[in-house]
Amino acid sequence: MKQGWLAFLSAVQFLTMIPVRFAEMPDSRVQANGLLCYPLVGGLIGLVLMLLAFLVQGLPSGLAAALILAAWAGISGGLHLDGLADSADGWLGGLGSRERTLEIMKDPHLGASGALVLTLVLLLKWSALGALLEAGLFWPLLLAPLAGRSAALLLLATTPYARPSGIAETMLPELKRHHALGTCVAVLLMLAAFDPFLPLILLLVGVGLRYLMLRRLGGTTGDTAGATIELIELLLLLVIIISKAGGQ
Protein backbone atom coordinates (compact mmCIF):
# COMPACT_ATOMS: atom_id res chain seq x y z
CA MET A 1 0.00 0.00 0.00
CA LYS A 2 2.79 2.41 0.94
CA GLN A 3 4.67 1.71 -2.29
CA GLY A 4 1.52 2.34 -4.34
CA TRP A 5 0.88 5.63 -2.54
CA LEU A 6 4.48 6.73 -3.10
CA ALA A 7 4.17 5.82 -6.79
CA PHE A 8 1.01 7.88 -7.11
CA LEU A 9 2.61 10.85 -5.35
CA SER A 10 5.67 10.64 -7.61
CA ALA A 11 3.35 10.83 -10.64
CA VAL A 12 1.52 13.81 -9.12
CA GLN A 13 4.84 15.52 -8.42
CA PHE A 14 6.10 15.05 -11.97
CA LEU A 15 2.90 15.75 -13.90
CA THR A 16 1.43 18.63 -11.90
CA MET A 17 2.34 21.73 -9.96
CA ILE A 18 0.73 20.31 -6.81
CA PRO A 19 3.42 20.62 -4.11
CA VAL A 20 4.55 17.10 -3.20
CA ARG A 21 7.64 16.67 -1.05
CA PHE A 22 9.53 13.48 -0.24
CA ALA A 23 11.92 12.94 2.63
CA GLU A 24 14.17 11.28 0.07
CA MET A 25 13.93 10.86 -3.68
CA PRO A 26 11.87 7.78 -4.67
CA ASP A 27 13.93 5.00 -6.25
CA SER A 28 13.61 3.94 -9.88
CA ARG A 29 11.08 1.20 -9.07
CA VAL A 30 8.71 3.63 -7.36
CA GLN A 31 9.10 6.08 -10.24
CA ALA A 32 8.40 3.30 -12.74
CA ASN A 33 5.24 2.37 -10.85
CA GLY A 34 4.42 6.07 -10.91
CA LEU A 35 4.12 5.79 -14.68
CA LEU A 36 1.21 3.39 -14.14
CA CYS A 37 -0.53 6.20 -12.24
CA TYR A 38 -0.39 8.62 -15.18
CA PRO A 39 -4.01 7.89 -16.25
CA LEU A 40 -5.21 8.38 -12.67
CA VAL A 41 -3.47 11.73 -12.42
CA GLY A 42 -5.01 12.64 -15.79
CA GLY A 43 -8.44 11.76 -14.43
CA LEU A 44 -7.87 13.99 -11.40
CA ILE A 45 -6.86 16.86 -13.67
CA GLY A 46 -10.01 16.22 -15.69
CA LEU A 47 -12.16 16.42 -12.55
CA VAL A 48 -10.63 19.81 -11.73
CA LEU A 49 -11.36 21.05 -15.26
CA MET A 50 -14.96 19.80 -15.10
CA LEU A 51 -15.50 21.56 -11.77
CA LEU A 52 -14.07 24.78 -13.19
CA ALA A 53 -16.34 24.45 -16.24
CA PHE A 54 -19.38 24.29 -13.97
CA LEU A 55 -18.17 27.32 -12.02
CA VAL A 56 -17.71 29.52 -15.12
CA GLN A 57 -20.96 28.55 -16.86
CA GLY A 58 -22.42 32.05 -16.67
CA LEU A 59 -19.48 33.72 -18.41
CA PRO A 60 -19.20 34.25 -22.18
CA SER A 61 -17.99 31.00 -23.75
CA GLY A 62 -14.78 32.54 -25.10
CA LEU A 63 -13.75 33.86 -21.69
CA ALA A 64 -14.80 30.65 -19.93
CA ALA A 65 -12.78 28.61 -22.44
CA ALA A 66 -9.74 30.84 -21.89
CA LEU A 67 -9.95 30.39 -18.10
CA ILE A 68 -10.23 26.62 -18.42
CA LEU A 69 -7.33 26.52 -20.87
CA ALA A 70 -5.19 28.64 -18.54
CA ALA A 71 -5.95 26.28 -15.67
CA TRP A 72 -5.25 23.27 -17.91
CA ALA A 73 -1.83 24.59 -18.83
CA GLY A 74 -1.11 25.90 -15.36
CA ILE A 75 -1.84 22.72 -13.43
CA SER A 76 0.98 20.96 -15.29
CA GLY A 77 3.26 23.99 -15.33
CA GLY A 78 3.23 23.90 -19.12
CA LEU A 79 5.31 20.71 -19.02
CA HIS A 80 3.64 19.00 -21.96
CA LEU A 81 3.31 22.22 -23.96
CA ASP A 82 7.06 22.62 -23.59
CA GLY A 83 7.53 19.09 -24.92
CA LEU A 84 5.25 19.90 -27.85
CA ALA A 85 7.19 23.05 -28.72
CA ASP A 86 10.58 21.33 -28.40
CA SER A 87 9.38 18.43 -30.55
CA ALA A 88 8.08 20.80 -33.24
CA ASP A 89 11.38 22.71 -33.29
CA GLY A 90 13.36 19.48 -33.52
CA TRP A 91 11.13 17.88 -36.15
CA LEU A 92 11.05 20.83 -38.49
CA GLY A 93 14.60 22.03 -37.84
CA GLY A 94 16.25 18.62 -37.71
CA LEU A 95 15.88 18.11 -41.46
CA GLY A 96 15.54 14.34 -41.08
CA SER A 97 18.69 13.93 -38.99
CA ARG A 98 18.29 12.00 -35.73
CA GLU A 99 21.26 13.66 -34.04
CA ARG A 100 20.27 17.15 -35.16
CA THR A 101 16.67 16.62 -34.09
CA LEU A 102 17.69 15.46 -30.60
CA GLU A 103 20.14 18.34 -30.30
CA ILE A 104 17.48 20.94 -31.16
CA MET A 105 14.95 19.34 -28.83
CA LYS A 106 17.44 19.60 -25.97
CA ASP A 107 17.93 23.34 -26.59
CA PRO A 108 15.81 25.26 -24.02
CA HIS A 109 15.18 28.16 -26.40
CA LEU A 110 11.88 28.38 -28.28
CA GLY A 111 12.19 28.47 -32.05
CA ALA A 112 9.79 29.76 -34.69
CA SER A 113 8.44 26.27 -35.48
CA GLY A 114 7.76 25.53 -31.84
CA ALA A 115 6.04 28.87 -31.34
CA LEU A 116 3.86 28.33 -34.40
CA VAL A 117 2.75 24.82 -33.42
CA LEU A 118 2.22 25.89 -29.81
CA THR A 119 0.02 28.78 -30.91
CA LEU A 120 -2.02 26.62 -33.27
CA VAL A 121 -2.61 23.88 -30.71
CA LEU A 122 -3.65 26.36 -28.02
CA LEU A 123 -5.93 28.17 -30.46
CA LEU A 124 -7.59 24.92 -31.48
CA LYS A 125 -7.97 23.85 -27.85
CA TRP A 126 -9.52 27.18 -26.93
CA SER A 127 -11.94 26.97 -29.86
CA ALA A 128 -12.84 23.38 -29.00
CA LEU A 129 -13.45 24.27 -25.35
CA GLY A 130 -15.70 27.14 -26.40
CA ALA A 131 -17.73 24.84 -28.64
CA LEU A 132 -18.07 22.24 -25.90
CA LEU A 133 -19.20 24.81 -23.35
CA GLU A 134 -21.78 26.23 -25.73
CA ALA A 135 -23.12 22.70 -26.27
CA GLY A 136 -23.19 22.03 -22.53
CA LEU A 137 -20.73 19.13 -22.84
CA PHE A 138 -18.47 18.81 -19.81
CA TRP A 139 -17.50 15.13 -19.79
CA PRO A 140 -14.86 15.54 -22.53
CA LEU A 141 -12.90 17.67 -20.05
CA LEU A 142 -12.62 14.59 -17.84
CA LEU A 143 -11.64 12.26 -20.68
CA ALA A 144 -9.06 14.41 -22.49
CA PRO A 145 -6.39 14.56 -19.73
CA LEU A 146 -7.04 10.90 -18.93
CA ALA A 147 -6.61 9.83 -22.56
CA GLY A 148 -3.54 12.00 -23.08
CA ARG A 149 -1.64 10.58 -20.13
CA SER A 150 -2.74 7.05 -20.97
CA ALA A 151 -1.30 7.58 -24.45
CA ALA A 152 2.00 8.67 -22.90
CA LEU A 153 2.04 5.56 -20.71
CA LEU A 154 1.36 3.32 -23.69
CA LEU A 155 4.06 5.07 -25.70
CA LEU A 156 6.67 4.73 -22.96
CA ALA A 157 5.74 1.10 -22.31
CA THR A 158 6.06 0.00 -25.95
CA THR A 159 8.78 2.22 -27.39
CA PRO A 160 12.57 2.34 -26.87
CA TYR A 161 13.92 5.47 -25.21
CA ALA A 162 15.88 7.45 -27.75
CA ARG A 163 18.06 9.51 -25.42
CA PRO A 164 20.56 7.40 -23.41
CA SER A 165 20.90 9.99 -20.65
CA GLY A 166 17.23 10.96 -20.59
CA ILE A 167 15.03 11.36 -17.54
CA ALA A 168 13.32 7.99 -18.02
CA GLU A 169 16.49 5.97 -18.62
CA THR A 170 16.58 4.45 -15.12
CA MET A 171 12.85 3.99 -14.52
CA LEU A 172 11.68 2.41 -17.79
CA PRO A 173 13.54 -0.90 -17.29
CA GLU A 174 11.58 -1.25 -14.01
CA LEU A 175 8.21 -0.61 -15.65
CA LYS A 176 5.84 -3.62 -15.56
CA ARG A 177 4.71 -3.47 -19.15
CA HIS A 178 1.87 -5.96 -18.85
CA HIS A 179 0.39 -3.77 -16.12
CA ALA A 180 0.80 -0.72 -18.33
CA LEU A 181 -0.92 -2.43 -21.26
CA GLY A 182 -3.75 -3.63 -19.04
CA THR A 183 -4.27 -0.11 -17.71
CA CYS A 184 -4.37 1.35 -21.21
CA VAL A 185 -6.82 -1.30 -22.45
CA ALA A 186 -9.12 -0.45 -19.53
CA VAL A 187 -8.97 3.24 -20.49
CA LEU A 188 -9.77 2.45 -24.12
CA LEU A 189 -12.79 0.40 -23.07
CA MET A 190 -13.98 3.28 -20.90
CA LEU A 191 -13.64 5.70 -23.79
CA ALA A 192 -15.63 3.33 -25.98
CA ALA A 193 -18.52 3.60 -23.51
CA PHE A 194 -18.78 7.29 -24.39
CA ASP A 195 -18.14 6.97 -28.12
CA PRO A 196 -17.42 3.62 -29.88
CA PHE A 197 -15.17 5.23 -32.50
CA LEU A 198 -13.20 7.42 -30.10
CA PRO A 199 -10.65 4.86 -28.86
CA LEU A 200 -10.05 3.57 -32.40
CA ILE A 201 -9.28 7.05 -33.73
CA LEU A 202 -7.03 7.91 -30.79
CA LEU A 203 -5.21 4.59 -31.05
CA LEU A 204 -4.61 4.97 -34.79
CA VAL A 205 -3.20 8.47 -34.37
CA GLY A 206 -1.08 7.33 -31.42
CA VAL A 207 0.33 4.48 -33.51
CA GLY A 208 1.07 6.97 -36.28
CA LEU A 209 2.92 9.30 -33.91
CA ARG A 210 4.91 6.36 -32.56
CA TYR A 211 5.84 5.33 -36.10
CA LEU A 212 7.15 8.82 -36.84
CA MET A 213 9.23 8.80 -33.64
CA LEU A 214 10.73 5.41 -34.46
CA ARG A 215 11.51 6.49 -37.99
CA ARG A 216 13.17 9.76 -37.01
CA LEU A 217 14.61 9.08 -33.54
CA GLY A 218 14.56 5.32 -33.14
CA GLY A 219 12.36 5.76 -30.08
CA THR A 220 10.66 8.29 -27.86
CA THR A 221 11.82 11.01 -25.46
CA GLY A 222 10.23 13.00 -22.68
CA ASP A 223 9.52 15.79 -25.17
CA THR A 224 7.75 13.53 -27.67
CA ALA A 225 5.76 11.92 -24.84
CA GLY A 226 4.65 15.41 -23.80
CA ALA A 227 3.77 16.27 -27.38
CA THR A 228 1.72 13.06 -27.58
CA ILE A 229 -0.26 14.09 -24.51
CA GLU A 230 -1.10 17.50 -25.99
CA LEU A 231 -2.03 16.13 -29.42
CA ILE A 232 -4.19 13.29 -28.07
CA GLU A 233 -6.00 15.71 -25.74
CA LEU A 234 -6.74 18.05 -28.63
CA LEU A 235 -7.76 15.21 -30.94
CA LEU A 236 -10.24 13.86 -28.39
CA LEU A 237 -11.94 17.25 -28.09
CA LEU A 238 -12.11 17.67 -31.87
CA VAL A 239 -13.45 14.16 -32.50
CA ILE A 240 -16.23 14.64 -29.97
CA ILE A 241 -17.20 18.04 -31.39
CA ILE A 242 -17.23 16.73 -34.96
CA SER A 243 -19.17 13.64 -33.88
CA LYS A 244 -21.80 15.69 -32.09
CA ALA A 245 -22.05 18.14 -34.99
CA GLY A 246 -22.51 15.28 -37.46
CA GLY A 247 -25.21 13.73 -35.30
CA GLN A 248 -27.37 16.84 -35.25
Side-chain angles (χ1 to χ4, degrees), residues 13 16 27 46 64 79 82 95 100-101 145 159 173 191 200 213-214 229 234 240:
Q13 183 188 59
T16 75
D27 60 29
L79 175 67
D82 179 69
L95 302 176
R100 178 62 177 157
T101 300
T159 313
L191 293 176
L200 178 61
M213 294 174 206
L214 287 171
I229 290 175
L234 173 60
I240 291 173

Side-chain angles (χ1 to χ4, degrees), residues 65 74 76 88:
S76 66

Side-chain angles (χ1 to χ4, degrees), residues 113-175:
S113 299
L116 175 61
V117 171
L118 196 60
T119 300
L120 290 174
V121 167
L122 288 173
L123 180 60
L124 286 169
K125 256 191 176 180
W126 174 77
S127 300
L129 287 171
L132 289 171
L133 293 173
E134 289 179 356
L137 294 174
F138 300 109
W139 55 267
L141 298 179
L142 170 64
L143 297 186
L146 171 64
R149 283 146 192 83
S150 299
L153 171 60
L154 185 59
L155 176 68
L156 292 169
T158 60
T159 313
Y161 205 69
R163 203 186 293 277
S165 58
I167 191 171
E169 179 190 15
T170 58
M171 71 174 77
L172 283 180
E174 301 279 357
L175 177 62

Side-chain angles (χ1 to χ4, degrees), residues 6-71:
L6 287 175
F8 170 71
L9 289 178
S10 72
V12 171
Q13 183 188 59
F14 183 70
L15 293 176
T16 75
M17 294 298 290
I18 298 172
V20 175
R21 299 288 182 267
F22 294 104
E24 58 183 34
M25 191 66 179
D27 60 29
S28 59
R29 178 171 297 181
V30 170
Q31 293 182 50
N33 289 333
L35 292 173
L36 299 175
C37 298
Y38 276 23
L40 179 57
V41 175
L44 292 176
I45 293 172
L47 286 174
V48 172
L49 297 179
M50 280 186 67
L51 175 61
L52 181 57
F54 281 111
L55 293 175
V56 299
Q57 279 186 89
L59 297 176
S61 60
L63 176 59
L67 291 173
I68 295 171
L69 184 58

Side-chain angles (χ1 to χ4, degrees), residues 179-239:
H179 289 174
L181 294 176
T183 299
C184 293
V185 168
V187 172
L188 289 170
L189 292 174
M190 188 187 72
L191 293 176
F194 288 89
D195 186 325
F197 294 104
L198 186 58
L200 178 61
I201 295 171
L202 296 181
L203 192 59
L204 287 175
V205 171
V207 169
L209 292 173
R210 180 180 182 274
Y211 169 77
L212 292 175
M213 294 174 206
L214 287 171
R215 186 174 180 181
R216 172 69 69 91
L217 304 176
T220 186
T221 68
D223 283 329
T224 56
T228 298
I229 290 175
E230 288 294 331
L231 295 175
I232 291 297
E233 286 181 341
L234 173 60
L235 179 63
L236 183 143
L237 299 181
L238 295 178
V239 168

